[in-house]
Amino acid sequence: MAVLDSLYLAGGIVAATAIPIYIFARLGRKLRVLNSSEERVLILGASSGVGRAIAQQYARRGARVCIVARRAEKISALAAECGKGCIWEVADFTAAEDMVRVRDTILRKWDGLDTLHVCAGVSALQPVMALTGVQSAEQDAGNSGIENAADIARRASQGNFIGPFVAAVTFIPMLTRTSTTPSILLVSSVAAVVPAPTRALYAATKASSLLLFQSLAIEHPGIAFTFVLPATIEGNFRASAVDAGPVLEADPNKYGLKTEYVAKRCIEAVDGRVTGNVVLPWFPYALAHHLYYLIPSFIERRAAKKYNFPS
Ligand SMILES: NC(=O)c1ccc[n+]([C@@H]2O[C@H](COP(=O)([O-])OP(=O)(O)OC[C@H]3O[C@@H](n4cnc5c(N)ncnc54)[C@H](OP(=O)(O)O)[C@@H]3O)[C@@H](O)[C@H]2O)c1
């Protein structure tokens, strides 16, 4: 208990130092001057969850929104709800051809783009060795088990890395050319910066797109890049699992962040041209990321507990 108290005290001290630095670093940012109704916003992954809530909130304030996902019936129903400023495309954000079609539509209808929200992603829920089909840590995986695990890893990469990559290379030139205040927001995850059992593939693939976009931010300083890293969110995200694994953590619909809240924080971050990582909630997850460097075993134990993983 005394150890735990000291850890929280250490966390408090880090927080007391970090908060003023954080506020100072963000004070100088340039606020957006676009009128709500002028803003042209593309949301990839808008048929459910956070992307859907972002689209609804932009539509309510009169922005022009283009909503994209693969499920036609969900996207067309949302478009009807969002009103006449809304355009929609059924498209897969991992497919170059689909993204070029979305880009052509936006150019034709709006002459350009100001804001891109990359919300689409897929989950993965099993411990890595379970993907090979072995029953115990001592058993070697066979050819087909290893192939199966590699195939699942490719699908996680496709949804969480290739999709954001294709989106970035498709839309960065158009944003740069056609907007006075271009912005890109990537919905990443706390899992991208804090390791977790049963989430290895998810964490690794979300981390790779986060690092990609953080590096793109340096390569394209004219675009404001924001990375939102939420903890568990309510909803049905786990249904997208590329490994169809069981859910071992507490019920996300009881304990998760509200999608409307995450969406609101995403839009506020873009409006305020807040660049860099926005961790939701900041406490304890932003600290967990730093504490991992200082006391990895503490974070490993907390992560095992959160995911009900025997340690
Ligand atoms: N839920 C959580 O606990 C949680 C926590 C932290 C971070 N996140 C991140 O938050 C983001 C949104 O998740 P959510 O909770 O809102 O989940 P969600 O309700 O499952 O939404 C995911 C969205 O992505 C779309 N999508 C997936 N693959 C796509 C593809 N290849 N092409 C186009 N669209 C695709 C889905 O639409 P279609 O299936 O119709 O294509 C859906 O609209 C994800 O990036 C996730 O990693 C989630």
Side-chain angles (χ1 to χ4, degrees), residues 140-201:
D140 282 333
N143 242 354
S144 68
I146 296 170
E147 270 306 327
N148 184 53
D151 182 50
I152 291 168
R154 269 180 222 109
R155 280 192 274 145
S157 255
Q158 187 76 4
N160 291 333
F161 177 74
I162 299 296
F165 182 87
V166 170
V169 297
T170 308
F171 294 104
I172 281 176
M174 181 163 83
L175 281 159
T176 309
R177 213 174 46 242
T178 64
S179 179
T180 50
T181 53
S183 288
I184 295 183
L185 182 140
L186 175 72
V187 181
S188 185
S189 171
V190 161
V193 291
V194 182
T198 74
R199 294 296 187 276
L201 272 186

Side-chain angles (χ1 to χ4, degrees), residues 65-68 72-73 75-77 79-80 86-90 105 109:
V65 271
C66 175
I67 52 174
V68 172
E73 69 295 351
I75 278 294
S76 62
C86 177
I87 55 180
W88 56 285
E89 287 280 348
V90 175
T105 303
K109 301 223 167 161

Side-chain angles (χ1 to χ4, degrees), residues 45-50 69-71 91-94 119-121 187-189 202 206 230-233 237-238:
S47 59
S48 61
V50 175
R70 294 162 303 178
R71 285 171 293 175
D92 183 332
F93 84 142
T94 70
C119 305
V187 181
S188 185
S189 171
Y202 178 64
K206 291 301 279 190
T232 303
I233 306 170
F237 180 55
R238 283 137 200 87

Side-chain angles (χ1 to χ4, degrees), residues 51-83:
R52 181 170 188 272
I54 290 176
Q56 288 167 323
Q57 290 181 24
Y58 271 117
R60 272 202 292 275
R61 74 181 203 186
R64 290 176 276 177
V65 271
C66 175
I67 52 174
V68 172
R70 294 162 303 178
R71 285 171 293 175
E73 69 295 351
K74 295 226 174 259
I75 278 294
S76 62
L78 178 63
E81 189 189 320
C82 287

Side-chain angles (χ1 to χ4, degrees), residues 272-285:
R273 289 183 88 67
V274 174
T275 51
N277 290 0
V278 177
V279 179
L280 299 177
W282 193 84
F283 184 83
Y285 292 103

